[in-house]
Amino acid sequence: MEFCDECGSMMQTQGDKWVCTKCDHEKLRDEAKEKAMVTTQAQEESEVIESEGGTSGLPTTTTQCPNCDNDTAYWYMQQIRSADESETRFFVCTECEHKWREDDH
């Protein structure tokens, strides 16, 4: 990826030049520099493998299920808002598998 020296916008290749998508600034491409760039096409794809038993690998805690009043649930944390916000804690009941969340404030 190349960024414009003039305005900082992302540039695109056009033949032997980099051209700014915003201000049309151009500069010659450097083959050696481009070989060192990491692209998404060069990255290997990863595969998500779920273990049998679903949530059984998650830690448990004592909390009241709002669905069946069971007092044990699996829990995990997940970032669902912007990076400067705290993570959200999710619970899954060990009995009825009801799922709910508790936001950290």
Side-chain angles (χ1 to χ4, degrees):
M1 186 175 300
E2 191 71 28
F3 293 94
C4 180
D5 296 331
E6 300 294 317
C7 71
S9 295
M10 190 167 47
M11 300 181 84
Q12 294 181 346
T13 58
Q14 288 184 359
D16 62 346
K17 297 183 276 188
W18 285 99
V19 180
C20 178
T21 58
K22 191 169 190 172
C23 72
D24 295 325
H25 174 73
E26 297 180 359
K27 65 180 178 181
L28 291 175
R29 293 174 65 179
D30 181 350
E31 188 175 326
K33 185 177 176 184
E34 288 179 32
K35 284 185 180 183
M37 292 180 182
V38 176
T39 64
T40 55
Q41 290 87 11
Q43 297 173 0
E44 293 182 26
E45 289 189 31
S46 60
E47 181 180 344
V48 176
I49 301 172
E50 291 190 30
S51 63
E52 290 184 25
T55 55
S56 64
L58 296 174
T60 58
T61 188
T62 302
T63 188
Q64 200 73 34
C65 174
N67 192 48
C68 73
D69 292 329
N70 180 39
D71 65 351
T72 307
Y74 300 109
W75 66 273
Y76 62 95
M77 304 288 282
Q78 186 173 358
Q79 187 74 35
I80 60 171
R81 296 179 298 263
S82 62
D84 63 340
E85 298 287 331
S86 62
E87 293 179 308
T88 301
R89 184 179 302 125
F90 286 90
F91 297 98
V92 181
C93 178
T94 57
E95 289 293 316
C96 70
E97 296 187 6
H98 175 70
K99 184 176 179 181
W100 72 99
R101 69 183 188 186
E102 172 187 280
D103 294 318
D104 288 333
H105 296 290

